[in-house]
Amino acid sequence: MWARFAKMIWVIIAVSTTPIAYALDSVSLNVGTLAGDQWQLEGVNIALTDLPQSPQKLALTIKRLTLPKPFNDLNLVNIRCTSFTWQNKELLCEQGRAQMRSKRWQSPAANFSFHVTEKRSSFKLSDLHLAGGTVAVDGEERGELWQLQIDAKTVDGKLIQQLLPQDRFKLKTGKVDIKLHASGSHAQVHEFTLTTGLKDLTGQTKDGKFAAEALALQSTLNAQNNNGLWQWQSHFDVNGGALYVEPLYMEAAGQTIVLDAQGDWDASKQRVGIDVASYRHEKVGMLSGSAIVRYGNGVNIEKAELSLNSGNLQDLSAIYLKPFFEQTVLQGVSLAGRLKADFSINQQSLTALSARFDSLDIIDATGRGEVQGGVGTLNWANDEAFNKPSELAWKHLQLRALPIGPASLSFLSRGDSIRLLKKTQLPFLGGEIAINQFSWQAKKQQEAEVSFEGDSSGLSLEQLSLALNWTPLSGTISGHIPRVEYSNKTLSLGGELIVKVFDGEVKVSNLASSGLFTDFPKFFCDVEINNLDLDQLTGKFEFGGITGKLSGYVRQLYMENWHPVSFFAWLGTPENDDSRHRISQKAVKNIASIGGGGASDILSRSFLSFFETFGYDKLGLGCYLHDGVCQLMGVEARESGYAIITGGGLPRIEVLGYNSRVDWNVLMERLERISSSDEVIIE
């Protein structure tokens, strides 16, 4: 455009050099408007003074210079050139003044100069004071090619506020340094380099999803246009202040955050390709990889290959994971240790993962569990043919209050399933739990299916009771856990669950459940109890001591929301029990209170109150629960009730029950009073 302007100048100069012009002291010409394809000069006026002298003085004034796209928002106005010369088809403005205008701001006058030849034109705007800073602009044109440089230093952030959408971002403070070098032809930008420095930048978006506080940032963006496909390279370095990008909050004080990336951008296809990217958070970790991103209808990751390396999982989880855990089942969970992970994403979905970790600690602030000294490799792929195993091990595992000792697991994780590859033993409560089989299978729009089978041996009841804050018990638990399956919200037992405890045996069969993890679970089972040692069972309780054996059953137990609805139960002395039968005075009173019986008055009015224990022949109590009422029965029927304890040996005592029908809730209240107080209430 400067070449076209020069041609108009040559015409004006030719007119001013005619003989008539020498009879005058000055000649001026109001050109008006000059326009090209992409530019326009408005209010052009040229004056030639001191004509009798040599050299003459040429002065140029221009009301407005409109630049071509993409710089058409910037205009130079009130251009005055007082040192204006020409020679050998060359125009030169060595000293001038001009102002810059845009739709959002305007500048005071600054130094301006230009140089026009037939093949090259250039202009400079310097010492432009704007928003507390300085700006320099340097432009050049060679034929159809142009280049532009802008250098802005310590510009107040208020200028940035004016250039951003006013209804989205509110900037409070900050200083900005900007350097832009762009080149192209006509309205096309072929290449540019943008360097930005931010200092003490504070502000936030209207919706609060993005905010910065005293942010210090250095960035560089290089881009080249290759027939509409932009090749770009970027570098961002956050070295001070804090940044919030919902839901992440990051502080850069002493922990520099650096992002380097390069790739391509196709605006017509709304596609960004990231060939190489590296995000480094000092002392926290590094994420690197490549990706293809689509935008337009939201941002979608079409494909990505990423690697994560962290030697400080504690800070990584606190900064990057904790915000996503909030309001989920993982709220309160934190990590520590070291991690290396590679993962693939396709169409917004994770398709493969390989993670290696060591010195892993998982802590749950809510007390649901924890892991100490975890080590291993987790491999997963969304491919049913995937067969790379995973190995996990730990030094200590805590589930609620229950501790599990050092152990390891080998399993296969693929698609929507997890399967144990080999049997494993878990040290637990001084004994061991063997997991012989385990599988987990996710189902679309349904709860997952789970299958489990194992054994337990030598589990200490004393350690269990201490862990659960129960009254200390003695003995051990051993048994076989048959195949347990959970499918379609239903739990089922593929056999008998056999537990050896108190020198006896408890069998659970026909176990089933529906809606187990809903607000209204239902539960069914049958229980058989064989030859439990009553001394071990009662010796530690406030209920009172009893020696002998105990057998019985609970048949057709049906529970809703974990409250019994119906069952038929019996607990009593087995027929072949030849062990010593003794019962304490306290146990007699408590058993009498259950059935509303009459042993207490006998003890209080006779010499029997001086004895601590009594002999008995049999004891037993049964209940048939239906419609909230428990129909009670004893070892023998009597004319006025039923016998709960029949006498045997010396001193002997008999306990009778008179209330054969008791409200279930009332019965539970009686048992609760027995377990929480020494006071015996007989109704």
Side-chain angles (χ1 to χ4, degrees), residues 291-295 297-304 343-352 380 382:
I292 297 175
V293 180
R294 299 280 183 178
Y295 63 93
N297 185 19
V299 178
N300 296 291
I301 301 176
E302 182 177 290
K303 186 178 181 181
F343 45 98
S344 302
I345 297 174
N346 190 29
Q347 300 300 335
Q348 294 285 95
S349 298
L350 183 67
T351 58
W380 174 87
N382 190 20

Side-chain angles (χ1 to χ4, degrees), residues 608-642:
L608 294 176
S609 61
F610 295 104
F611 292 92
E612 288 295 325
T613 64
F614 306 94
Y616 74 91
D617 180 34
K618 291 183 179 180
L619 60 80
L621 187 65
C623 168
Y624 171 59
L625 177 65
H626 182 70
D627 289 338
V629 175
C630 188
Q631 178 73 44
L632 296 175
M633 63 201 75
V635 293
E636 293 179 3
R638 298 296 169 89
E639 183 177 348
S640 57
Y642 51 91

Side-chain angles (χ1 to χ4, degrees), residues 509-649:
S509 60
N510 300 321
L511 185 148
S513 148
S514 62
L516 187 61
F517 300 107
T518 67
D519 294 333
F520 195 75
K522 298 178 181 180
F523 186 84
F524 313 81
C525 77
D526 292 324
V527 180
E528 183 180 341
I529 301 168
N530 294 313
N531 294 313
L532 301 189
D533 188 321
L534 279 171
D535 188 29
Q536 294 184 37
L537 180 62
T538 64
K540 301 290 185 177
F541 290 98
E542 293 293 331
F543 183 84
I546 307 175
T547 65
K549 298 291 185 178
L550 182 71
S551 294
Y553 52 80
V554 180
R555 294 174 181 166
Q556 299 177 12
L557 171 63
Y558 171 48
M559 304 175 71
E560 291 181 349
N561 201 22
W562 304 113
H563 294 288
V565 175
S566 64
F567 63 78
F568 181 53
W570 170 260
L571 293 173
T573 304
E575 291 295 332
N576 58 351
D577 179 20
D578 57 0
S579 61
R580 186 168 182 263
H581 292 179
R582 305 292 294 180
I583 184 170
S584 70
Q585 185 180 138
K586 187 175 184 180
V588 170
K589 292 181 179 180
N590 286 329
I591 290 176
S593 72
I594 294 174
S600 181
D601 287 341
I602 296 175
L603 290 172
S604 62
R605 290 184 286 103
S606 70
F607 75 96
L608 294 176
S609 61
F610 295 104
F611 292 92
E612 288 295 325
T613 64
F614 306 94
Y616 74 91
D617 180 34
K618 291 183 179 180
L619 60 80
L621 187 65
C623 168
Y624 171 59
L625 177 65
H626 182 70
D627 289 338
V629 175
C630 188
Q631 178 73 44
L632 296 175
M633 63 201 75
V635 293
E636 293 179 3
R638 298 296 169 89
E639 183 177 348
S640 57
Y642 51 91
I644 302 175
I645 300 176
T646 57

Side-chain angles (χ1 to χ4, degrees), residues 230-260:
W230 285 91
Q231 302 289 335
W232 54 268
Q233 307 84 36
S234 65
H235 172 82
F236 293 86
D237 187 338
V238 180
N239 49 42
L243 184 65
Y244 175 77
V245 182
E246 191 181 35
L248 303 177
Y249 176 76
M250 295 163 284
E251 291 184 341
Q255 294 184 340
T256 302
I257 300 173
V258 178
L259 172 61
D260 289 300

Side-chain angles (χ1 to χ4, degrees), residues 52-366:
Q53 301 178 13
S54 181
Q56 297 88 2
K57 293 181 179 180
L58 187 64
L60 171 69
T61 59
I62 302 173
K63 185 178 181 180
R64 181 188 298 271
L65 168 60
T66 302
L67 298 174
K69 293 181 180 180
F71 309 106
N72 52 316
D73 183 47
L74 299 175
N75 298 289
L76 296 178
V77 301
N78 299 328
I79 302 171
R80 298 179 182 274
C81 189
T82 56
S83 178
F84 183 43
T85 61
W86 80 93
Q87 57 182 353
N88 297 326
K89 297 182 180 181
E90 181 181 27
L91 298 178
L92 179 63
C93 174
E94 295 181 317
Q95 183 177 346
R97 300 285 286 176
Q99 294 174 282
M100 183 172 286
R101 294 284 189 272
S102 79
K103 295 179 181 178
R104 297 184 176 90
W105 52 272
Q106 60 184 24
S107 73
N111 295 329
F112 177 74
S113 64
F114 68 82
H115 186 193
V116 179
T117 66
E118 286 186 317
K119 295 182 178 181
R120 176 182 177 274
S121 302
S122 65
F123 76 93
K124 291 184 179 181
L125 189 68
S126 60
D127 198 27
L128 173 60
H129 294 275
L130 185 66
T134 60
V135 179
V137 182
D138 192 338
E140 181 180 349
E141 181 186 48
R142 292 178 181 268
E144 297 179 350
L145 303 178
W146 57 264
Q147 62 179 1
L148 180 72
Q149 297 185 58
I150 299 176
D151 189 358
K153 297 180 179 179
T154 62
V155 177
D156 194 282
K158 294 179 180 178
L159 173 62
I160 299 178
Q161 177 68 71
Q162 294 174 359
L163 296 176
L164 293 173
Q166 301 295 300
D167 60 340
R168 295 185 181 180
F169 193 83
K170 181 64 176 178
L171 187 63
K172 295 181 179 179
T173 61
K175 294 290 185 179
V176 183
D177 293 338
I178 297 176
K179 286 186 178 182
L180 171 66
H181 181 275
S183 61
S185 63
H186 298 296
Q188 295 291 326
V189 179
H190 293 167
E191 184 177 358
F192 72 85
T193 298
L194 176 64
T195 302
T196 306
L198 306 179
K199 185 178 181 180
D200 295 328
L201 190 71
T202 300
Q204 68 177 42
T205 55
K206 186 177 181 180
D207 58 11
K209 294 183 178 181
F210 177 88
E213 182 177 358
L215 184 67
L217 180 147
Q218 300 290 327
S219 69
T220 301
L221 175 62
N222 300 313
Q224 305 83 36
N225 189 348
N226 184 13
N227 296 324
L229 181 66
W230 285 91
Q231 302 289 335
W232 54 268
Q233 307 84 36
S234 65
H235 172 82
F236 293 86
D237 187 338
V238 180
N239 49 42
L243 184 65
Y244 175 77
V245 182
E246 191 181 35
L248 303 177
Y249 176 76
M250 295 163 284
E251 291 184 341
Q255 294 184 340
T256 302
I257 300 173
V258 178
L259 172 61
D260 289 300
Q262 67 180 45
D264 57 72
W265 170 44
D266 190 333
S268 63
K269 296 181 180 179
Q270 297 182 319
R271 173 190 180 277
V272 177
I274 304 173
D275 298 331
V276 179
S278 173
Y279 177 84
R280 300 184 302 277
H281 192 156
E282 188 180 359
K283 300 179 183 179
V284 176
M286 181 175 73
L287 178 67
S288 59
S290 61
I292 297 175
V293 180
R294 299 280 183 178
Y295 63 93
N297 185 19
V299 178
N300 296 291
I301 301 176
E302 182 177 290
K303 186 178 181 181
E305 297 290 337
L306 303 172
S307 295
L308 174 64
N309 191 343
S310 175
N312 184 359
L313 275 179
Q314 184 172 357
D315 285 353
L316 180 73
S317 66
I319 298 172
Y320 295 98
L321 300 182
K322 183 180 178 181
F324 293 99
F325 289 172
E326 297 296 325
Q327 307 302 319
T328 72
V329 294
L330 295 177
Q331 183 170 345
V333 175
S334 59
L335 308 176
R338 296 182 293 272
L339 171 70
K340 291 183 179 181
D342 300 313
F343 45 98
S344 302
I345 297 174
N346 190 29
Q347 300 300 335
Q348 294 285 95
S349 298
L350 183 67
T351 58
L353 169 67
S354 178
R356 300 167 298 282
F357 55 87
D358 62 86
S359 303
L360 177 67
D361 291 340
I362 303 176
I363 301 172
D364 183 6
T366 63

